[in-house]
């Protein structure tokens, strides 16, 4: 069997103290081993993070750093990639490292291996079909994408698809909750009446409005249910999704 432990079978070292920074007032002192902080707060407190001297940095949703001229990147790239900042190990995590085009990869790649692609302009010429256009430098294209993919997979990236990790995830549980919302029942009756008009009406403006009315009618009852969940012992956070903006606005007011 396998397990974690020292070479001599000793006890595991104590876990480091984890500090979640949720506001500009939260302290970064006290010898905390792990700090969890948002990008926006990290920008405001970059000097304190640098002074803390963390040896390992993990940047989640690292494509947020793809634009080198953004205020966020100017503040954090030196912190993540600078030897003077003390960061010896860096991990970038993203499901979409280049949301739109290959040029968005360069800044992240440079953080991990500064010299792998040379200058930005050289990278963009090779992989972003960059050229001098009518309105200036245009690096919005894509070229040699198979080569770029091969370099990334060989030298920079560990990619895991959903199919590869599905067995490691807990099973998805779907549950339908019945709530007391008479207005929703009346709104749904209108939806059914629209459906009865035929398939052509399924995506009509009338159907969209009827679905929205159904959501608005359930909003208060859903908010009450969520409030009970949050008030339950051991519950702290909950993700709530909605489709119509009107429904989300109502939840914000309740």
């Amino acid at each position: 069997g396998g397990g974690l432990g020292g070479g001599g079978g000793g006890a595991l070292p104590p876990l480091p103290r984890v500090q979640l920074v949720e506001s500009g007032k939260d302290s970064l002192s006290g010898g905390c081993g792990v700090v969890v902080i948002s990008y926006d707060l990290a920008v405001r407190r970059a000097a304190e993070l640098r002074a803390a001297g963390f040896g390992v940095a993990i940047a989640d949703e690292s494509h947020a750093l793809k634009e080198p001229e953004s205020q966020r990147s100017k503040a954090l790239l030196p912190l993540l990639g600078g030897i003077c900042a003390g960061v010896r190990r860096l991990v970038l995590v993203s499901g979409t490292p280049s949301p739109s085009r290959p040029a968005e990869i360069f800044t992240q790649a440079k953080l991990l291996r500064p010299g792998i692609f040379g200058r930005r302009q050289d990278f963009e010429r090779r992989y972003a079909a960059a050229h001098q256009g009518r309105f200036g430098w245009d690096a919005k294209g894509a070229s040699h994408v198979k080569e770029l993919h091969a370099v990334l997979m060989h030298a920079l990236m560990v990619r895991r698809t959903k199919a590869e990790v599905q067995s490691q995830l807990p099973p998805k549980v779907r549950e339908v909750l019945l709530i007391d919302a008479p207005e929703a029942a009346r709104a749904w009756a209108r939806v059914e009446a629209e459906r009865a008009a035929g398939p052509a009406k399924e995506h009509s403006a009338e159907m969209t409005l009827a679905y929205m009315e159904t959501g608005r009618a359930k909003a208060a009852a859903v908010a009450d249910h969520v409030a009970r969940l949050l008030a339950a012992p051991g519950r702290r956070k909950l993700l709530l999704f909605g489709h119509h903006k009107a429904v989300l606005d109502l939840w914000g007011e309740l």
Side-chain angles (χ1 to χ4, degrees):
L4 296 175
L12 289 172
L15 293 175
R17 187 166 71 87
V18 178
Q19 182 166 352
L20 178 61
V21 179
E22 298 181 283
S23 73
K25 297 180 180 179
D26 290 342
S27 173
L28 288 175
S29 61
C32 46
V34 177
V35 168
V36 181
I37 188 170
S38 70
Y39 281 119
D40 290 340
L41 281 173
V43 169
R44 291 161 52 188
R45 309 189 66 175
E48 294 172 77
L49 290 170
R50 180 185 295 272
F54 292 102
V56 178
I58 301 174
D60 193 18
E61 304 294 352
S62 61
H63 54 269
L65 301 169
K66 61 185 174 63
E67 298 295 342
E69 297 304 316
S70 69
Q71 181 181 0
R72 173 182 295 168
S73 293
K74 287 181 177 179
L76 298 183
L77 293 182
L79 178 66
L80 295 174
I83 296 177
C84 59
V87 175
R88 299 185 301 275
R89 298 286 185 271
L90 174 64
V91 179
L92 304 183
V93 183
S94 176
T96 52
S98 57
S100 303
R101 55 186 69 93
E104 296 168 338
I105 286 284
F106 182 81
T107 301
Q108 299 168 80
K110 185 178 179 181
L111 269 176
L112 295 170
R113 293 188 64 175
I116 189 168
F117 289 120
R119 299 182 308 158
R120 170 179 288 275
Q121 202 171 51
D122 296 333
F123 174 88
E124 292 175 345
R125 281 199 183 98
R126 181 70 181 171
Y127 300 112
H131 60 280
Q132 193 66 37
R134 181 180 176 185
F135 300 105
W137 186 250
D138 185 346
K140 296 179 181 179
S143 53
H144 302 98
V145 290
K146 290 184 178 180
E147 177 185 309
L148 176 60
H149 179 266
V151 173
L152 292 175
M153 294 300 294
H154 177 74
L156 290 173
M157 186 181 295
V158 178
R159 185 170 183 259
R160 293 292 180 266
T161 64
K162 181 179 178 180
E164 292 172 319
V165 301
Q166 189 73 51
S167 61
Q168 303 171 32
L169 301 174
K172 186 180 293 184
V173 178
R174 297 181 182 272
E175 182 180 1
V176 178
L177 299 176
L178 300 179
I179 56 177
D180 184 18
E183 285 297 323
R186 287 189 283 272
W188 185 250
R190 290 193 290 275
V191 170
E192 291 295 292
E194 291 288 346
R195 278 181 167 170
K201 300 284 286 184
E202 180 69 25
H203 299 292
S204 66
E206 291 83 359
M207 279 294 294
T208 300
L209 181 60
Y211 277 120
M212 184 182 299
E213 290 177 357
T214 303
R216 291 174 65 93
K218 292 185 290 185
V222 171
D224 288 341
H225 179 72
V226 169
R228 289 195 295 272
L229 289 177
L230 293 175
R235 288 276 187 171
R236 185 182 177 191
K237 292 184 178 181
L238 183 143
L239 288 176
L240 186 61
F241 295 89
H243 180 76
H244 295 287
K245 184 177 182 298
V247 174
L248 297 173
D249 288 341
L250 280 174
W251 285 339
E253 297 169 1
L254 295 173

